[in-house]
C-alpha cells in the first residue's frame, strides 16, 4: 500500500498480459509472434498496427482484407473539427508537445457520440445492472474516431513546432495508418514508415496496471467519454518515470556524448553512470516495475537497428550502455530489474531517420498507446464494469489492524 501497490492483483485486463520473465503477450501472442503472424503492408516486413488493434479488441488474428478495411475506415474518420485545429495552431511554441496533445484530445470530446447519447438520457437505474449494448457501441465508435484522428493531431503539433507549420497535407485512403502518419509528419522514406509500423505496434499495450492504461480505465469507469479518459492517460504517460523516459534517454545520451565525446571507453562510461546515480538521478530506460528481464520491445528495436543502422554512432553507444549499465544497477543492491526497457532504444532509431526533436517522442508513444487502452475501454463498457473505487486506510487504521 505504501509501495505503489507493486504486485497487488486488483484489475482484470483481457488485451495483454505481462510476464516478468518473458515480457508482453498480446492476447497470448508474443512480439515475435505478432511480427510473424500479423498482416504487413505491401512490400513491408513489419506488422501493421491496425492488425494489432483488431487482435486486441477481438482476440483473433485478422486477415489481410480485414486489416486493409480498418486502414480505410480510419482514413474516413481522420478529420479534425476546426476548433481543435485553431487551438493547436494557437498554442505557444514553448508548450510541451504532450501538453498540446492531451489538451487537443480533451477538446476533441466535442465529437463524442457517447457523451451525446448519455446527455440525451440513459436512465440512471440502467447504468450498471443492464448490460447496455448501446453504451459499448458508442464507446467503440468514439474509440475508432479518436484513433483515426490522433496521427492528425500529432502531426499538426510536429509541423507547428518543428517545421514550417504549413499544414500536414491530405489523408491518402490507399495508405495504411502509419504510412499516412509518416507523410503527415513530413517523412517519405520506406524504412522510416516501417519503423513507425513496428513502433506503433509494440508501444500499444502493456497490461492494465501501468500508469497510462490504469488511468484510462479508472477515468472511463466514471463514464467519462473515451476522449476525456484517454487524455487523462496521456497526462500520466507524460511523466518521466513512464512514457517521458524515451525523451529522457536521449537527453541522457546527449549529455554523455557532450561530456565524454562521441566514442568513449567502458571505464569512462562506468564513471559517468555512477556519477548519475550518486547525484540522485535514475538511469532512464533501465528498470521496470514488473519486468525482470530485458524488455522484448527493446530487443526487437535492437534487431531493427542491427538490420538497418548497424554502424550508427549513437546505436553503438546505446549498445555500449546496454553492456555497462546492468552490472552497475545490480551492484547498487536495490534495483530489482537492471535491464533496459522499451524507452532505452526508441530514440536512437528516430534520430537516425532525422527525427531529432526528443521532446516529441512521447507523443508517438501516446498515439500507439491508444490502441491498447481504447481496446480495453470498449470491453470495460461492454461488460458494464462499475466505477472503480478501492478502499484506502489511514496509517493509524493500519496500525490498529495489525495490533500495534
Ligand atoms: N536507475 C536508478 N535507480 C533505479 C532505476 C534506474 N533505472 N530503476 C530503479 N531504481 C531504484 C528506484 O528508484 C528505487 O530506489 P529507492 O529505493 O531509492 O527509491 C529502487 O531502485 C527500487 O526500485 P524498483 O523496485 O527496482 O523499481 P520500481 O518498480 O519502483 O520503479 C521504474 C520502476 C521504471 C519507475 C524505475 O525502474 C525507473 O525509475 N526507471 C528509470 C525510468 C524509466 O526508464 N522509466 C520507463 C519505464 C517504462 C515505461 O513506463 N515506459
Amino acid at each position: 500500500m505504501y509501495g505503489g501497490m507493486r504486485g497487488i492483483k486488483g484489475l482484470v485486463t483481457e488485451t495483454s498480459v505481462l510476464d516478468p520473465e518473458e515480457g508482453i503477450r498480446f492476447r497470448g501472442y508474443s512480439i515475435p509472434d505478432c511480427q510473424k503472424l500479423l498482416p504487413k503492408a505491401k512490400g513491408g516486413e513489419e506488422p501493421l498496427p491496425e492488425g494489432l488493434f483488431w487482435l486486441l479488441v477481438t482476440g483473433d488474428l485478422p486477415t489481410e482484407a480485414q486489416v486493409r478495411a480498418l486502414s480505410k475506415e480510419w482514413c474516413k474518420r481522420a478529420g479534425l473539427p476546426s476548433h481543435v485545429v485553431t487551438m493547436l495552431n494557437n498554442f505557444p511554441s514553448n508548450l510541451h508537445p504532450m501538453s498540446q496533445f492531451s489538451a487537443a484530445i480533451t477538446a476533441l470530446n466535442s465529437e463524442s457520440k457517447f457523451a451525446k447519447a448519455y446527455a440525451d438520457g440513459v436512465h440512471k437505474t440502467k447504468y450498471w445492472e443492464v448490460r447496455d449494448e448501446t453504451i459499448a457501441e458508442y464507446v467503440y465508435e468514439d474509440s475508432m474516431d479518436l484513433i483515426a484522428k490522433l496521427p492528425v493531431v500529432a502531426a499538426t503539433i510536429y509541423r507547428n513546432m518543428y517545421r514550417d507549420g504549413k499544414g500536414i497535407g491530405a489523408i491518402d485512403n490507399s495508405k495504411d495508418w502509419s504510412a499516412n502518419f509518416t507523410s503527415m509528419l513530413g517523412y517519405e522514406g520506406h524504412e522510416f514508415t516501417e519503423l513507425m509500423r513496428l513502433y506503433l505496434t509494440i508501444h500499444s499495450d502493456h497490461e492494465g496496471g501501468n500508469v497510462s492504461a490504469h488511468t484510462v480505465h479508472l477515468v472511463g469507469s466514471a463514464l467519462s467519454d473515451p476522449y476525456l479518459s484517454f487524455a487523462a492517460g496521456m497526462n500520466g504517460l507524460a511523466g518521466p518515470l513512464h512514457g517521458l523516459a524515451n525523451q529522457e534517454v536521449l537527453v541522457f545520451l546527449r549529455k554523455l556524448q557532450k561530456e565524454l565525446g562521441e566514442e568513449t571507453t567502458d571505464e569512462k562510461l562506468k564513471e559517468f553512470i555512477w556519477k548519475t546515480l550518486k547525484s540522485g538521478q535514475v538511469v532512464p530506460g533501465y528498470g521496470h516495475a514488473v519486468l525482470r528481464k530485458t524488455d522484448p520491445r527493446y530487443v526487437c528495436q535492437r534487431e531493427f537497428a542491427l538490420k538497418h543502422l548497424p554502424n550508427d554512432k549513437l546505436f553503438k553507444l546505446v549498445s555500449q550502455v546496454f553492456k555497462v549499465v546492468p552490472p552497475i544497477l545490480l551492484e547498487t543492491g536495490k534495483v530489482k530489474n537492471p535491464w533496459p526497457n522499451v524507452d532505452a532504444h526508441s530514440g536512437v532509431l528516430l534520430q537516425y531517420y532525422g527525427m531529432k526533436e526528443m521532446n516529441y517522442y512521447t507523443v508517438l508513444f501516446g498515439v500507439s498507446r491508444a490502441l491498447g487502452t481504447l481496446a480495453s475501454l470498449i470491453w470495460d463498457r461492454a461488460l458494464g464494469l462499475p466505477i472503480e473505487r478501492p478502499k484506502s486506510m489511514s496509517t493509524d487504521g493500519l496500525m490498529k489492524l495489525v495490533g500495534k
Side-chain angles (χ1 to χ4, degrees), residues 6 241-242 245 277 282-283 285-289 334 336 341 343:
R6 212 68 85 250
L241 294 188
H242 190 23
L277 291 173
V282 295
V283 181
Y286 281 75
H288 201 271
K334 63 173 185 178
K336 295 199 189 64
N341 59 54
D343 299 312

Side-chain angles (χ1 to χ4, degrees), residues 3 6 203 206 210-212 237 239-246 248-249 276-277 280-290 292 295 297 325 329 332-344 365 369:
R6 212 68 85 250
H203 286 77
H206 222 220
N210 65 76
V211 170
S212 51
L237 194 73
L241 294 188
H242 190 23
L244 204 76
N246 59 7
E248 296 299 295
V249 168
T276 305
L277 291 173
Q281 294 169 55
V282 295
V283 181
Y286 281 75
H288 201 271
V290 178
R292 293 296 173 256
D295 193 335
R297 300 172 299 176
V325 167
L329 291 182
T332 66
K334 63 173 185 178
V335 180
K336 295 199 189 64
N337 173 26
W339 304 105
N341 59 54
V342 65
D343 299 312
F365 196 155
R369 192 56 36 133

